[in-house]
mmCIF file with all atom_site columns, all heavy atoms in Angstrom:
data_model
loop_
_atom_site.group_PDB
_atom_site.id
_atom_site.type_symbol
_atom_site.label_atom_id
_atom_site.label_alt_id
_atom_site.label_comp_id
_atom_site.label_asym_id
_atom_site.label_entity_id
_atom_site.label_seq_id
_atom_site.pdbx_PDB_ins_code
_atom_site.Cartn_x
_atom_site.Cartn_y
_atom_site.Cartn_z
_atom_site.occupancy
_atom_site.B_iso_or_equiv
_atom_site.pdbx_formal_charge
_atom_site.auth_seq_id
_atom_site.auth_comp_id
_atom_site.auth_asym_id
_atom_site.auth_atom_id
_atom_site.pdbx_PDB_model_num
ATOM 1   N N   . TRP A 1 205 ? 98.789  203.134 301.037 1.00 90.00 ? 205 TRP A N   1
ATOM 2   C CA  . TRP A 1 205 ? 98.593  202.052 301.949 1.00 90.00 ? 205 TRP A CA  1
ATOM 3   C C   . TRP A 1 205 ? 99.880  201.366 302.301 1.00 90.00 ? 205 TRP A C   1
ATOM 4   O O   . TRP A 1 205 ? 99.860  200.394 303.110 1.00 90.00 ? 205 TRP A O   1
ATOM 5   C CB  . TRP A 1 205 ? 97.656  200.980 301.253 1.00 90.00 ? 205 TRP A CB  1
ATOM 6   C CG  . TRP A 1 205 ? 96.352  201.580 300.956 1.00 90.00 ? 205 TRP A CG  1
ATOM 7   C CD1 . TRP A 1 205 ? 95.920  202.141 299.793 1.00 90.00 ? 205 TRP A CD1 1
ATOM 8   C CD2 . TRP A 1 205 ? 95.139  201.551 301.839 1.00 90.00 ? 205 TRP A CD2 1
ATOM 9   N NE1 . TRP A 1 205 ? 94.629  202.477 299.785 1.00 90.00 ? 205 TRP A NE1 1
ATOM 10  C CE2 . TRP A 1 205 ? 94.079  202.147 300.965 1.00 90.00 ? 205 TRP A CE2 1
ATOM 11  C CE3 . TRP A 1 205 ? 94.842  201.183 303.025 1.00 90.00 ? 205 TRP A CE3 1
ATOM 12  C CZ2 . TRP A 1 205 ? 92.832  202.381 301.532 1.00 90.00 ? 205 TRP A CZ2 1
ATOM 13  C CZ3 . TRP A 1 205 ? 93.592  201.334 303.600 1.00 90.00 ? 205 TRP A CZ3 1
ATOM 14  C CH2 . TRP A 1 205 ? 92.602  201.900 302.859 1.00 90.00 ? 205 TRP A CH2 1
ATOM 15  N N   . ASP A 1 206 ? 100.977 201.950 301.953 1.00 92.00 ? 206 ASP A N   1
ATOM 16  C CA  . ASP A 1 206 ? 102.271 201.323 302.209 1.00 92.00 ? 206 ASP A CA  1
ATOM 17  C C   . ASP A 1 206 ? 102.767 201.952 303.591 1.00 92.00 ? 206 ASP A C   1
ATOM 18  O O   . ASP A 1 206 ? 103.450 202.963 303.556 1.00 92.00 ? 206 ASP A O   1
ATOM 19  C CB  . ASP A 1 206 ? 103.269 201.604 301.184 1.00 92.00 ? 206 ASP A CB  1
ATOM 20  C CG  . ASP A 1 206 ? 104.465 200.848 301.096 1.00 92.00 ? 206 ASP A CG  1
ATOM 21  O OD1 . ASP A 1 206 ? 104.950 200.457 302.329 1.00 92.00 ? 206 ASP A OD1 1
ATOM 22  O OD2 . ASP A 1 206 ? 105.162 200.498 300.114 1.00 92.00 ? 206 ASP A OD2 1
ATOM 23  N N   . ARG A 1 207 ? 102.449 201.297 304.661 1.00 94.00 ? 207 ARG A N   1
ATOM 24  C CA  . ARG A 1 207 ? 102.711 201.879 305.942 1.00 94.00 ? 207 ARG A CA  1
ATOM 25  C C   . ARG A 1 207 ? 104.229 202.138 306.207 1.00 94.00 ? 207 ARG A C   1
ATOM 26  O O   . ARG A 1 207 ? 104.581 203.213 306.663 1.00 94.00 ? 207 ARG A O   1
ATOM 27  C CB  . ARG A 1 207 ? 102.155 201.088 307.076 1.00 94.00 ? 207 ARG A CB  1
ATOM 28  C CG  . ARG A 1 207 ? 100.565 201.153 307.026 1.00 94.00 ? 207 ARG A CG  1
ATOM 29  C CD  . ARG A 1 207 ? 99.973  200.272 308.159 1.00 94.00 ? 207 ARG A CD  1
ATOM 30  N NE  . ARG A 1 207 ? 100.275 198.864 307.962 1.00 94.00 ? 207 ARG A NE  1
ATOM 31  C CZ  . ARG A 1 207 ? 100.073 197.876 308.841 1.00 94.00 ? 207 ARG A CZ  1
ATOM 32  N NH1 . ARG A 1 207 ? 99.611  198.201 310.036 1.00 94.00 ? 207 ARG A NH1 1
ATOM 33  N NH2 . ARG A 1 207 ? 100.382 196.646 308.591 1.00 94.00 ? 207 ARG A NH2 1
ATOM 34  N N   . PRO A 1 208 ? 105.095 201.191 305.934 1.00 95.00 ? 208 PRO A N   1
ATOM 35  C CA  . PRO A 1 208 ? 106.509 201.461 306.213 1.00 95.00 ? 208 PRO A CA  1
ATOM 36  C C   . PRO A 1 208 ? 107.028 202.581 305.456 1.00 95.00 ? 208 PRO A C   1
ATOM 37  O O   . PRO A 1 208 ? 107.906 203.415 305.792 1.00 95.00 ? 208 PRO A O   1
ATOM 38  C CB  . PRO A 1 208 ? 107.234 200.092 305.949 1.00 95.00 ? 208 PRO A CB  1
ATOM 39  C CG  . PRO A 1 208 ? 106.240 199.305 305.178 1.00 95.00 ? 208 PRO A CG  1
ATOM 40  C CD  . PRO A 1 208 ? 104.863 199.754 305.608 1.00 95.00 ? 208 PRO A CD  1
ATOM 41  N N   . TYR A 1 209 ? 106.648 202.716 304.110 1.00 95.00 ? 209 TYR A N   1
ATOM 42  C CA  . TYR A 1 209 ? 107.075 203.772 303.236 1.00 95.00 ? 209 TYR A CA  1
ATOM 43  C C   . TYR A 1 209 ? 106.524 205.153 303.801 1.00 95.00 ? 209 TYR A C   1
ATOM 44  O O   . TYR A 1 209 ? 107.313 206.143 303.782 1.00 95.00 ? 209 TYR A O   1
ATOM 45  C CB  . TYR A 1 209 ? 106.570 203.587 301.817 1.00 95.00 ? 209 TYR A CB  1
ATOM 46  C CG  . TYR A 1 209 ? 107.119 204.443 300.756 1.00 95.00 ? 209 TYR A CG  1
ATOM 47  C CD1 . TYR A 1 209 ? 108.241 204.153 300.115 1.00 95.00 ? 209 TYR A CD1 1
ATOM 48  C CD2 . TYR A 1 209 ? 106.489 205.631 300.482 1.00 95.00 ? 209 TYR A CD2 1
ATOM 49  C CE1 . TYR A 1 209 ? 108.840 204.972 299.167 1.00 95.00 ? 209 TYR A CE1 1
ATOM 50  C CE2 . TYR A 1 209 ? 107.062 206.552 299.538 1.00 95.00 ? 209 TYR A CE2 1
ATOM 51  C CZ  . TYR A 1 209 ? 108.200 206.065 298.879 1.00 95.00 ? 209 TYR A CZ  1
ATOM 52  O OH  . TYR A 1 209 ? 108.728 206.999 297.880 1.00 95.00 ? 209 TYR A OH  1
ATOM 53  N N   . LEU A 1 210 ? 105.244 205.248 304.219 1.00 94.00 ? 210 LEU A N   1
ATOM 54  C CA  . LEU A 1 210 ? 104.823 206.438 304.731 1.00 94.00 ? 210 LEU A CA  1
ATOM 55  C C   . LEU A 1 210 ? 105.531 206.768 305.992 1.00 94.00 ? 210 LEU A C   1
ATOM 56  O O   . LEU A 1 210 ? 105.873 207.987 306.187 1.00 94.00 ? 210 LEU A O   1
ATOM 57  C CB  . LEU A 1 210 ? 103.283 206.205 305.045 1.00 94.00 ? 210 LEU A CB  1
ATOM 58  C CG  . LEU A 1 210 ? 102.378 206.130 303.930 1.00 94.00 ? 210 LEU A CG  1
ATOM 59  C CD1 . LEU A 1 210 ? 100.975 205.820 304.384 1.00 94.00 ? 210 LEU A CD1 1
ATOM 60  C CD2 . LEU A 1 210 ? 102.243 207.555 303.207 1.00 94.00 ? 210 LEU A CD2 1
ATOM 61  N N   . ALA A 1 211 ? 105.864 205.839 306.902 1.00 95.00 ? 211 ALA A N   1
ATOM 62  C CA  . ALA A 1 211 ? 106.529 206.128 308.055 1.00 95.00 ? 211 ALA A CA  1
ATOM 63  C C   . ALA A 1 211 ? 107.963 206.639 307.812 1.00 95.00 ? 211 ALA A C   1
ATOM 64  O O   . ALA A 1 211 ? 108.350 207.607 308.457 1.00 95.00 ? 211 ALA A O   1
ATOM 65  C CB  . ALA A 1 211 ? 106.655 204.881 308.993 1.00 95.00 ? 211 ALA A CB  1
ATOM 66  N N   . LEU A 1 212 ? 108.623 206.070 306.917 1.00 95.00 ? 212 LEU A N   1
ATOM 67  C CA  . LEU A 1 212 ? 109.943 206.564 306.505 1.00 95.00 ? 212 LEU A CA  1
ATOM 68  C C   . LEU A 1 212 ? 109.854 208.000 305.851 1.00 95.00 ? 212 LEU A C   1
ATOM 69  O O   . LEU A 1 212 ? 110.775 208.816 306.092 1.00 95.00 ? 212 LEU A O   1
ATOM 70  C CB  . LEU A 1 212 ? 110.598 205.615 305.523 1.00 95.00 ? 212 LEU A CB  1
ATOM 71  C CG  . LEU A 1 212 ? 111.232 204.313 306.104 1.00 95.00 ? 212 LEU A CG  1
ATOM 72  C CD1 . LEU A 1 212 ? 111.458 203.352 305.083 1.00 95.00 ? 212 LEU A CD1 1
ATOM 73  C CD2 . LEU A 1 212 ? 112.442 204.713 306.924 1.00 95.00 ? 212 LEU A CD2 1
ATOM 74  N N   . SER A 1 213 ? 108.838 208.174 305.070 1.00 94.00 ? 213 SER A N   1
ATOM 75  C CA  . SER A 1 213 ? 108.668 209.588 304.542 1.00 94.00 ? 213 SER A CA  1
ATOM 76  C C   . SER A 1 213 ? 108.424 210.586 305.630 1.00 94.00 ? 213 SER A C   1
ATOM 77  O O   . SER A 1 213 ? 109.073 211.640 305.482 1.00 94.00 ? 213 SER A O   1
ATOM 78  C CB  . SER A 1 213 ? 107.469 209.520 303.565 1.00 94.00 ? 213 SER A CB  1
ATOM 79  O OG  . SER A 1 213 ? 107.627 208.614 302.620 1.00 94.00 ? 213 SER A OG  1
ATOM 80  N N   . LEU A 1 214 ? 107.691 210.223 306.575 1.00 94.00 ? 214 LEU A N   1
ATOM 81  C CA  . LEU A 1 214 ? 107.433 211.246 307.756 1.00 94.00 ? 214 LEU A CA  1
ATOM 82  C C   . LEU A 1 214 ? 108.749 211.452 308.453 1.00 94.00 ? 214 LEU A C   1
ATOM 83  O O   . LEU A 1 214 ? 108.962 212.573 308.822 1.00 94.00 ? 214 LEU A O   1
ATOM 84  C CB  . LEU A 1 214 ? 106.393 210.616 308.632 1.00 94.00 ? 214 LEU A CB  1
ATOM 85  C CG  . LEU A 1 214 ? 104.897 210.517 307.998 1.00 94.00 ? 214 LEU A CG  1
ATOM 86  C CD1 . LEU A 1 214 ? 104.004 209.745 308.951 1.00 94.00 ? 214 LEU A CD1 1
ATOM 87  C CD2 . LEU A 1 214 ? 104.382 211.975 307.810 1.00 94.00 ? 214 LEU A CD2 1
ATOM 88  N N   . LEU A 1 215 ? 109.460 210.386 308.731 1.00 94.00 ? 215 LEU A N   1
ATOM 89  C CA  . LEU A 1 215 ? 110.784 210.591 309.473 1.00 94.00 ? 215 LEU A CA  1
ATOM 90  C C   . LEU A 1 215 ? 111.677 211.420 308.671 1.00 94.00 ? 215 LEU A C   1
ATOM 91  O O   . LEU A 1 215 ? 112.406 212.281 309.265 1.00 94.00 ? 215 LEU A O   1
ATOM 92  C CB  . LEU A 1 215 ? 111.419 209.153 309.769 1.00 94.00 ? 215 LEU A CB  1
ATOM 93  C CG  . LEU A 1 215 ? 110.884 208.472 311.029 1.00 94.00 ? 215 LEU A CG  1
ATOM 94  C CD1 . LEU A 1 215 ? 111.683 207.205 311.169 1.00 94.00 ? 215 LEU A CD1 1
ATOM 95  C CD2 . LEU A 1 215 ? 110.925 209.302 312.207 1.00 94.00 ? 215 LEU A CD2 1
ATOM 96  N N   . CYS A 1 216 ? 111.767 211.212 307.322 1.00 94.00 ? 216 CYS A N   1
ATOM 97  C CA  . CYS A 1 216 ? 112.692 212.106 306.561 1.00 94.00 ? 216 CYS A CA  1
ATOM 98  C C   . CYS A 1 216 ? 112.218 213.513 306.590 1.00 94.00 ? 216 CYS A C   1
ATOM 99  O O   . CYS A 1 216 ? 113.004 214.442 306.663 1.00 94.00 ? 216 CYS A O   1
ATOM 100 C CB  . CYS A 1 216 ? 112.658 211.583 305.091 1.00 94.00 ? 216 CYS A CB  1
ATOM 101 S SG  . CYS A 1 216 ? 113.560 210.067 304.813 1.00 94.00 ? 216 CYS A SG  1
ATOM 102 N N   . GLY A 1 217 ? 110.956 213.838 306.599 1.00 92.00 ? 217 GLY A N   1
ATOM 103 C CA  . GLY A 1 217 ? 110.429 215.067 306.837 1.00 92.00 ? 217 GLY A CA  1
ATOM 104 C C   . GLY A 1 217 ? 110.793 215.721 308.118 1.00 92.00 ? 217 GLY A C   1
ATOM 105 O O   . GLY A 1 217 ? 111.182 216.898 308.217 1.00 92.00 ? 217 GLY A O   1
#
Side-chain angles (χ1 to χ4, degrees):
W205 299 91
D206 193 332
R207 290 180 296 168
Y209 190 89
L210 286 171
L212 283 165
S213 303
L214 293 169
L215 276 183
C216 287

